[in-house]
Structures are given as structure tokens and as C-alpha cells.
Amino acid sequence: MQVIRLASETDLTGWRAAARSLRSLGVAPEEALWTVDGAGGDLFAATATGGEAPMPPQAQQGGAPFTVPREFVELADLVVLHRSDERFALLYRMLWRLAREPQLLHIHSDPDVQKARHLAADVSRAAHKMKAFVRFRQVAEGDQTERYVAWFEPAHRVTEMVAPFFVARFATMDFSILTPDACLHWDTKALVVLPGADPADAPTNLQGGEDALEDYWRAYYASIFNPARLKTASMQQHMPKRYWRNLPEARLIPDLIARAETRTAAMVRQPSSIPDRVIRQVTRKLRDGTFDDQQPANLEEVAAMIQACRRCDLWRDATQGVAGEGPSRAKLMLVGEQPGDQEDLAGKPFVGPAGQMLDRALAEAGVPRDQTYVTNAVKHFKHEPRGKRRLHKTPNTGEVTACRWWLDHERRLVKPRVVVALGATAVTSVFGKALPIAGARQTAHQLPDQSQGVVTYHPSYLLRVPDAEAKAKAYAMFVEDLRFAWRLVA
Ligand code: URA
């Protein structure tokens, strides 16, 4: 086994040198273990016992030259910035296969190609987000040179990749962009890239004060993010640049920094679905304590705070968090698993195929959906790529537990008399344990908060039952369960 230790998480040069050498020396992908110095070194040291040796000197020096398609080089440039642990191995596997399959990149159904393209798309999206959402705060003025600092947490390691964009846009401004991966410092002449920062390293007035609230901006900009906006941003990215070229930067820069609602910012921004008033309330709460200490006072605050949630990693690849929807005092609460593809884009629960199935069953059961509060156990869409599609992936226990925080707040605020858990994930979240659906349905289970819990199937399950007769039977039971829950409410 060859263990390759790269110098950093984004060490493309090191990867390239090692990968070329390994391929020339005929080291198969299964024989190569890729790791980063200081990240997982021990793990690999342990697996590298039993005759496995570090990469031999000749591998470090390179082998016979060969060429790879430019498209692969461009793909690798992006993939390497993804946070996936598989990225280096995936790229090496592809490089290895390219020797025998020069057309590999054109086989769109190939799992490696699909995976790499998906990772690259995630990275591009993270770069777009960073360009659109970084907001600077002024941290020094008067006698000192004016200096601006921004804190940002990109979904993937794109900080250095977007550096030229910020330098070009804010060329006459002294600025620092601090991220957990790398910090950019620009003094109008030279760019210095330093290791990543801790949020605590940010100057203190980034963390407090009326207009210096990182959590505020995170919640605010996350709440306005949607794919339509992103398209607008990338489409119009060139427009502001052309437009700005003719403007003295002295006029442009303070304008960008001082006002969130500037003309230029408005070009790349769409209105928030969450009122500014609510964002401000949430901001005040976030300022007064850590995120987890803060109780949302109403459902709008829950929705705003979910946009800033980092309780697990699912936010990274989701478009937005999807909060529940319905009357704030609904007597019946329906809890699904997690938003699907369409819900992730729309920002609303149960609007896709499962939602249509739910609507049909509710109507048959005589339950008005607009009198129910419809939500999910998990608020971000967990998925994996399959070609151009994003396929649902079941959330794990850690993710369900992390997200129960939000469902508990929704339950505390809505105070439903009856909570219906749709499917196994919702059951685990609502009851805190697994229950067999077939055995637990048609019973009112007492919950600790004095509400009653009802268990039934998930509408997506009904969509998947292959046999028509079994499907009809399951659907009838589903309708029966919804009717049962509604009778408990009445
Ligand atoms: N499936 C769910 O569990 N919830 C939704 O919102 C959509 C599909």
C-alpha cells in the first residue's frame, strides 16, 4: 500500500505530482491511500502497517510523462476543493482509468464521472455563494488606514479560488476575509494568504454591536438564498462589473459596505421571504448568547434561525432550510422525514410528489390541510447525486437528533393536540425511539408534552409500493390513520 501525505487539504500540486508518479509506476488506485498531513495521519499510519510503506522516493520524483485531457485538469481543480474525504482517491482512480479509457469523461453514466461532476458543481456553487454573501465590516478608521474585515464559512474550500474576484472588486480597499480554511489579506498591493481562523480571532467588533453581527448576516443572507437568486447572481455577475468599471471605486466601495440595500447589491439579490423585522429579532437573540441558548419566540423566528443552523452538516449541500408551515395554533401537526428535491427548492414542506399524495389522502380523510401544521423531522434536504438528479438519502440518527431541536421548538410553539409521525424517521424524532409502524398505528400514544402521538406510513412509501393491490391497501390504511388522528383532535 502506498501512503501519500499531501501538504494541505487543497494541495493540488502535491496530488498532481504524486498521482503522475504513481500512475507511471503502475500503482493501482486500490493500492494508494491519500491523506493530508495533520489530518488523519494517525489513521493512515495504523492502516499502513503490515508491509505497507510510505511512497517510494522514485514515486516522489515522477515517472514517464503522459498527458491528460484539459477537461480533467479543470475538473480536478474544482474537485480538490470539495470537503469530501474521497476527492483525492476519486481523482486518482479517474486518472488511472483515463490511461485505458481516454473517452472516460464523455461517459456521462459512469459513477466516477458523475461523482466528480457533482463535487465540482458543489464547489462552484460554494464559490458563487461566497462571492455573493461576503459582507465587510469596517474595523479601523481615522488616523489608521481604513480596514475592512469579513468572516465567512464557505461550504467548500473555495477561499483561495475566489481571492482574485475580491481583489479585483475591492482593489483599493484594505481588507481581510477570514474563513476556517484560509485567510486572505489584501493591502491594495499584495495578497497574503494565511491559515484559517477561528471565529474568535475575528476583531471584537465583528461579534457585537448594532451593525457588526456575523450571525445576523449569516441568517440574513442564508434566508434570502435560493437557486433562482443564484442564477441571477451568476447571470448578472458580469453586468455589475461592466457597470462598475466606469465608476470611481471611491464611490462604489462605501456604498457597498454601508448599505445592505444598495443598488448594486440589489442587482444580485431578491427579496427575503422572511421579513427583515424577524431577521432583526433573531439577530438580537443571536447577539445575546450562543445560538443554542436562544429560544425562538415564534414560528417566523424558527424559520429564520433554521437558515443559520449548523447543528449538523446537511446545510452545506442544501439550498435552504425548510421550516414547517401552517396555522401557529394548529391542533394537528403532521411530521414528515425531510424536504425532498422540490421542497428544497421551494422552501416549503410537502409540495412535491409525496406532498400531492398527502394532499389527496388528507382530502379523502376529511382533514383540511390548511388547518394542520405540516413539518419535517429534518429541515435540510439530504441527497446524493445520480446524474443530473439529486436522490433522497435517509438522514442518520445524529442528523435526526440534531434537528429535533427545531421540531421541539415547533411543537412548543404550536402546541398541537395530536402529532402524526409519517414514517420511521418522524417516529424516531417524535417519540425518541423506533416503533413498528404496522403495530403502532391506530393508537393514540401519550407524549410527554401532553399531546397525543399517532403513527402512520410515509406518503413516499405509498408511492413506492410496486404491487397495485398492496398499494391500494396501504393507501387505505394511510387515509384511515389520518381520519383517526383528526377524530382525536375534534
Ligand atoms: N418527504 C418528506 O418527508 N417531507 C417533505 O416535505 C417532502 C417529502
Side-chain angles (χ1 to χ4, degrees):
M1 182 65 73
Q2 301 291 338
V3 180
I4 305 96
R5 291 180 193 281
L6 298 171
S8 75
E9 297 284 1
T10 54
D11 183 11
L12 182 61
T13 313
W15 175 85
R16 212 183 271 143
R20 280 184 170 278
S21 303
L22 292 170
R23 197 180 102 169
S24 304
L25 293 166
V27 178
E30 315 76 75
E31 292 297 310
L33 265 181
W34 297 88
T35 184
V36 173
D37 257 351
D42 289 348
L43 172 73
F44 286 100
T47 53
T49 54
E52 293 142 359
M55 198 165 59
Q58 69 271 30
Q60 291 165 14
Q61 284 159 18
F66 55 84
T67 57
V68 291
R70 162 160 285 285
E71 203 186 341
F72 178 71
V73 177
E74 287 167 0
L75 194 62
D77 280 350
L78 291 174
V79 169
V80 98
L81 304 180
H82 201 279
R83 293 194 195 276
S84 161
D85 291 337
E86 294 169 53
R87 64 200 185 285
F88 292 122
L90 169 70
L91 288 174
Y92 182 56
R93 198 161 56 242
M94 291 176 75
L95 182 74
W96 176 262
R97 292 181 57 196
L98 276 168
R100 285 159 200 80
E101 302 168 70
Q103 294 306 313
L104 176 65
L105 294 181
H106 301 292
I107 307 173
H108 298 294
S109 58
D110 182 90
D112 282 344
V113 174
Q114 285 187 352
K115 177 86 190 178
R117 290 204 194 288
H118 181 74
L119 298 189
D122 283 348
V123 169
S124 296
R125 191 156 62 129
H128 279 303
K129 276 194 189 182
M130 184 158 177
K131 289 179 193 170
F133 300 154
V134 161
R135 290 298 175 273
F136 291 101
R137 256 13 77 61
Q138 187 168 356
V139 292
E141 57 186 334
D143 292 348
Q144 305 172 55
T145 319
E146 288 185 359
R147 175 146 208 97
Y148 297 88
V149 177
W151 169 259
F152 193 79
E153 290 174 63
H156 299 288
R157 297 185 181 94
V158 295
T159 307
E160 289 175 66
M161 172 182 163
V162 298
F165 166 87
F166 285 102
V167 167
R169 181 171 284 187
F170 301 113
T172 60
M173 182 172 119
D174 272 25
F175 70 78
S176 296
I177 301 177
L178 314 181
T179 82
D181 310 306
C183 294
L184 307 176
H185 303 281
W186 171 252
D187 66 356
T188 74
K189 290 178 197 69
L191 179 73
V192 178
V193 182
L194 292 176
D198 196 275
D201 297 341
T204 47
N205 63 347
L206 280 181
Q207 294 168 22
E210 202 48 50
D211 62 352
L213 300 164
E214 212 48 41
D215 284 330
Y216 171 92
W217 289 105
R218 193 166 73 184
Y220 187 82
Y221 283 97
S223 74
I224 60 166
F225 172 72
N226 67 48
R229 204 214 65 76
L230 190 63
K231 274 190 213 120
T232 313
S234 55
M235 195 180 75
Q236 295 184 337
Q237 194 181 355
H238 303 290
M239 189 169 102
K241 271 192 195 160
R242 283 205 301 277
Y243 177 66
W244 292 347
R245 236 198 330 253
N246 301 324
L247 282 176
E249 273 161 332
R251 251 175 63 202
L252 168 68
I253 293 166
D255 192 35
L256 272 175
I257 294 162
R259 293 185 293 133
E261 298 291 343
T262 58
R263 208 169 142 191
T264 40
M267 284 181 185
V268 293
R269 186 163 110 54
Q270 301 234 324
S272 169
S273 56
I274 300 170
D276 281 1
R277 164 184 55 80
V278 178
I279 302 279
R280 273 194 294 275
Q281 282 159 16
V282 165
T283 305
R284 244 172 268 129
K285 283 179 188 276
L286 295 175
R287 189 180 54 200
D288 294 340
T290 66
F291 193 70
D292 284 2
D293 294 338
Q294 302 305 315
Q295 300 263 329
N298 52 49
L299 293 168
E300 281 181 324
E301 286 194 12
V302 171
M305 289 169 88
I306 283 173
Q307 305 313 323
C309 182
R310 301 293 184 267
R311 296 175 63 81
C312 76
D313 268 350
L314 292 185
W315 67 274
R316 286 191 190 284
D317 294 325
T319 304
Q320 58 193 312
V322 179
E325 194 180 57
S328 58
R329 282 299 152 95
K331 293 187 179 127
L332 184 65
M333 178 179 280
L334 303 174
V335 183
E337 183 191 73
Q338 62 164 355
D341 183 72
Q342 294 195 29
E343 288 80 11
D344 168 81
L345 298 175
K348 289 170 179 294
F350 281 107
V351 293
Q356 283 155 23
M357 173 64 91
L358 177 65
D359 284 349
R360 197 179 122 208
L362 284 171
E364 240 172 89
V367 183
R369 174 161 170 167
D370 61 4
Q371 289 182 35
T372 68
Y373 186 84
V374 180
T375 191
N376 282 299
V378 170
K379 310 302 188 198
H380 284 104
F381 178 35
K382 182 172 181 180
H383 56 277
E384 64 184 3
R386 193 65 56 82
K388 288 195 176 148
R389 296 172 61 213
R390 302 186 299 168
L391 283 198
H392 160 277
K393 238 183 137 182
T394 305
N396 63 35
T397 313
E399 289 150 356
V400 174
T401 307
C403 217
R404 193 173 164 179
W405 167 264
W406 300 114
L407 181 63
D408 285 350
H409 278 309
E410 290 179 306
R411 284 172 62 182
R412 173 178 64 78
L413 292 161
V414 178
K415 297 187 179 58
R417 275 199 218 152
V418 177
V419 181
V420 181
L422 307 168
T425 303
V427 168
T428 312
S429 182
V430 170
F431 292 89
K433 61 180 181 194
L435 291 175
I437 293 179
R441 54 181 289 274
Q442 288 289 308
T443 303
H445 302 266
Q446 193 59 51
L447 291 165
D449 65 356
Q450 301 311 315
S451 60
Q452 293 184 302
V454 169
V455 167
T456 189
Y457 301 102
H458 191 284
S460 299
Y461 163 72
L462 307 177
L463 290 169
R464 286 196 308 267
V465 178
D467 172 71
E469 198 182 324
K471 196 188 203 87
K473 214 167 141 198
Y475 177 74
M477 287 193 278
F478 184 54
V479 172
E480 198 182 354
D481 293 342
L482 294 174
R483 202 176 283 128
F484 172 77
W486 191 238
R487 271 204 304 271
L488 289 175
V489 162

